[in-house]
């Protein structure tokens, strides 16, 4: 899973999608709890989100948090998904 910070630019995420040959990037925020850094999942950005931003003339310099999808499902390693 490839992640990016919520403050990454749309252009940066676009380059990652192309370079890694992937369709989406998970957007996170670094948070420190009891001296431990964790990354909280905030959303996901897909190639479709990038195309939509381009069509809507959103600047590549804008934060990726502006275009990320905030509704997502998550599961833990041992969760039953059947």
């Amino acid at each position: 899973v490839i992640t990016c910070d919520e403050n990454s630019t749309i252009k940066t995420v676009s380059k990652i999608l192309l370079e890694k040959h992937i369709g989406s990037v998970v957007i996170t925020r670094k948070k420190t709890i009891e001296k431990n850094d964790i990354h909280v999942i905030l959303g996901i950005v897909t190639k479709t989100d990038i195309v939509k931003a381009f069509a809507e003339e959103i600047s590549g310099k804008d934060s990726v948090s502006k275009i990320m999808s905030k509704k997502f499902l998550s599961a833990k390693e041992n969760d039953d998904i059947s």
Side-chain angles (χ1 to χ4, degrees), residues 7-25:
N7 297 313
S8 299
T9 65
I10 295 169
K11 183 175 181 177
T12 298
V13 173
S14 298
K15 286 182 178 183
I16 291 168
L17 292 172
L18 287 172
E19 290 169 3
K20 302 286 186 185
H21 303 283
I22 56 176
S24 61
V25 174

Side-chain angles (χ1 to χ4, degrees), residues 8 22 25-27 38 60 63:
S8 299
I22 56 176
V25 174
V26 175
I27 308 303
I38 63 168
S63 168

Side-chain angles (χ1 to χ4, degrees), residues 7-73:
N7 297 313
S8 299
T9 65
I10 295 169
K11 183 175 181 177
T12 298
V13 173
S14 298
K15 286 182 178 183
I16 291 168
L17 292 172
L18 287 172
E19 290 169 3
K20 302 286 186 185
H21 303 283
I22 56 176
S24 61
V25 174
V26 175
I27 308 303
T28 62
R29 175 185 296 146
K30 185 175 167 182
K31 190 174 185 179
T32 303
I33 298 177
E34 297 180 12
K35 299 182 183 179
N36 294 312
D37 289 338
I38 63 168
H39 294 271
V40 179
I41 298 173
L42 302 178
I44 190 168
V45 171
T46 65
K47 286 182 179 179
T48 302
D49 295 323
I50 301 290
V51 170
K52 184 178 174 186
F54 179 76
E56 294 175 356
E57 299 182 8
I58 296 173
S59 173
K61 294 178 183 178
D62 283 350
S63 168
V64 74
S65 63
K66 185 172 185 175
I67 65 164
M68 72 182 179
S69 300
K70 296 175 186 164
K71 293 183 180 180
F72 59 90
L73 298 175

